Amino acid sequence: MARKTESADTADVLAPVTIAVGQEDLLLDRAVQEVVAAARAADSDTDVRDLTPDQLQPGTLAELTSPSLFAERKVVVVRNAQDLSADTIKDVKAYLGAPAEEITLVLLHAGAAKGKALLDAARKAGAREVACPKMTKPADRLAFVRGEFRRLGRSATSEACQALVDSIGSDLRELASAVTQLVADVEGTIDEAVVGRYYTGRAEASSFTVADRAVEGRAAEALEALRWSLSTGVAPVLITSALAQGVRAIGKLSSARGGRPADLARELGMPPWKIDRVRQQMRGWTPDGVAVALRAVADADAGVKGGGDDPEYALEKAVVTIARAARSRGALRGDAR
């Protein structure tokens, strides 16, 4: 097994149990990525199991954490832990009292009243906790953007950070992707003028918001973004183009060989930051779902170019169909997310 000596910081991240608490998807995913990266830095052969509540049945945790002949390091991620069944919660509570060596359990919990007993038990057991709160205040989002620039080792003026928040909005994934793109493309200090050239006043920015929410399966938010875009004068054809790009990106990456973002970027003709974003969006998609979504985009494109009586209805129908297709894997296994 390829092992490395653990630093103090790595050992902290690899505490037996980590609880990531909150409802901000980007921060929850980063909490998981941090643990997985630390585990693979310590042991490149680390086995990662990423489970939803329906996949963690009574007895499953015991199977996953039972001693292995090969003494392999393992990371077990449980998403939406507040939705676990009562019997499975008993299993998790029992495990918290005697966690297995070489295994890191990561529980993602919304932090609300549902499943609070499990959250309390994890805290009582001394679990490492990562806060992932929903950022609803503009000041919080502004602080997040500043932190992103610092995390990437770059400087940006206060005016640039504010302009980015004003242009992109409240979605942390979009804000993080925008910061990454600016850092990759621009040398020196990033100022308001640079942000303005990239984002301010661009109709396609709102079009891509519609597409991103749709391919992530967030129908209500996609429809809200669609109606806002149309009300501000965005051409329907720009929205169908963004939807097509979003679905095609899912299809391209899902059929590509695994590899580093830089390698996939060269192979697929996408920037590395786009690879990372699409990987996050791919969860829940199936090949059949991609085919259904592409047909929906084609129908919408025909509808907005004169093939239908109501371009707005054509777009709404496409958005709903794509959002449903994004959840096709969950639907097939009976996941009622």
Side-chain angles (χ1 to χ4, degrees):
M1 235 178 258
R3 295 181 181 274
K4 298 179 182 179
T5 303
E6 295 180 11
S7 67
D9 289 344
T10 298
D12 180 58
V13 173
L14 293 180
V17 180
T18 287
I19 49 173
V21 184
Q23 300 179 43
E24 186 55 68
D25 290 341
L26 174 65
L27 301 183
L28 290 168
D29 284 341
R30 284 186 175 179
V32 173
Q33 292 163 8
E34 181 184 30
V35 173
V36 171
R40 286 182 170 158
D43 181 351
S44 60
D45 296 327
T46 294
D47 181 23
V48 178
R49 303 296 180 91
D50 197 325
L51 307 172
T52 53
D54 61 301
Q55 294 172 313
L56 194 68
Q57 299 298 320
T60 303
L61 184 61
E63 294 176 9
L64 291 173
T65 58
S66 60
S68 167
L69 291 174
F70 302 100
E72 64 182 357
R73 183 181 289 276
K74 187 179 294 183
V75 175
V76 178
V77 180
V78 181
R79 296 183 182 273
N80 298 314
Q82 71 278 356
D83 295 332
L84 291 171
S85 69
D87 288 338
T88 303
I89 287 177
K90 289 179 182 178
D91 287 353
V92 176
K93 286 182 176 180
Y95 178 81
L96 292 173
E101 293 185 8
E102 297 292 299
I103 292 177
T104 299
L105 175 64
V106 184
L107 301 173
L108 275 57
H109 194 291
K114 185 178 182 181
K116 188 174 183 298
L118 175 58
L119 187 57
D120 291 342
R123 286 169 171 159
K124 186 176 180 180
R128 170 179 172 264
E129 183 167 347
V130 180
C132 305
K134 203 75 173 172
M135 294 191 181
T136 57
K137 298 179 180 178
D140 292 338
R141 294 192 289 272
L142 182 58
F144 171 79
V145 168
R146 288 171 174 161
E148 286 295 284
F149 280 115
R150 286 195 298 270
R151 186 176 69 86
L152 296 174
R154 293 292 299 278
S155 60
T157 66
S158 297
E159 294 79 9
C161 294
Q162 185 64 62
L164 198 58
V165 172
D166 292 341
S167 300
I168 300 298
S170 60
D171 189 280
L172 254 59
R173 288 194 192 281
E174 289 194 8
L175 287 169
S177 294
V179 170
T180 302
Q181 182 177 18
L182 289 169
V183 166
D185 292 354
V186 180
E187 295 182 359
T189 299
I190 294 163
D191 59 20
E192 186 177 7
V194 170
V195 174
R197 288 199 301 272
Y198 270 74
Y199 296 104
T200 303
R202 288 177 54 184
E204 56 266 36
S206 59
S207 301
F208 285 119
T209 299
V210 177
D212 286 341
R213 298 297 82 76
V215 300
E216 290 163 4
R218 295 152 67 176
E221 294 178 40
L223 288 171
E224 181 180 357
L226 171 63
R227 289 160 189 158
W228 183 88
S229 297
L230 292 173
S231 71
T232 57
V234 176
V237 68
L238 286 179
I239 299 174
T240 55
S241 175
L243 289 170
Q245 289 184 50
V247 175
R248 286 172 186 152
I250 296 287
K252 282 182 180 180
L253 193 56
S254 62
S255 61
R257 300 187 303 274
R260 297 178 304 169
D263 296 331
L264 287 170
R266 284 191 294 270
E267 178 184 342
L268 301 178
M270 299 181 191
W273 66 266
K274 180 75 171 180
I275 297 292
D276 289 334
R277 178 185 234 168
V278 176
R279 274 180 168 166
Q280 295 296 332
Q281 295 172 331
M282 281 172 53
R283 190 177 298 129
W285 280 93
T286 65
D288 288 342
V290 172
V292 168
L294 287 173
R295 286 196 295 271
V297 171
D299 291 342
D301 189 58
V304 303
K305 292 179 177 177
D309 296 328
D310 189 345
E312 183 172 343
Y313 172 76
L315 286 169
E316 288 184 355
K317 183 178 179 182
V319 163
V320 171
T321 301
I322 292 168
R324 287 175 179 168
R327 295 170 175 265
S328 52
R329 178 169 291 136
L332 287 173
R333 67 170 183 250
D335 188 352
R337 289 176 297 172

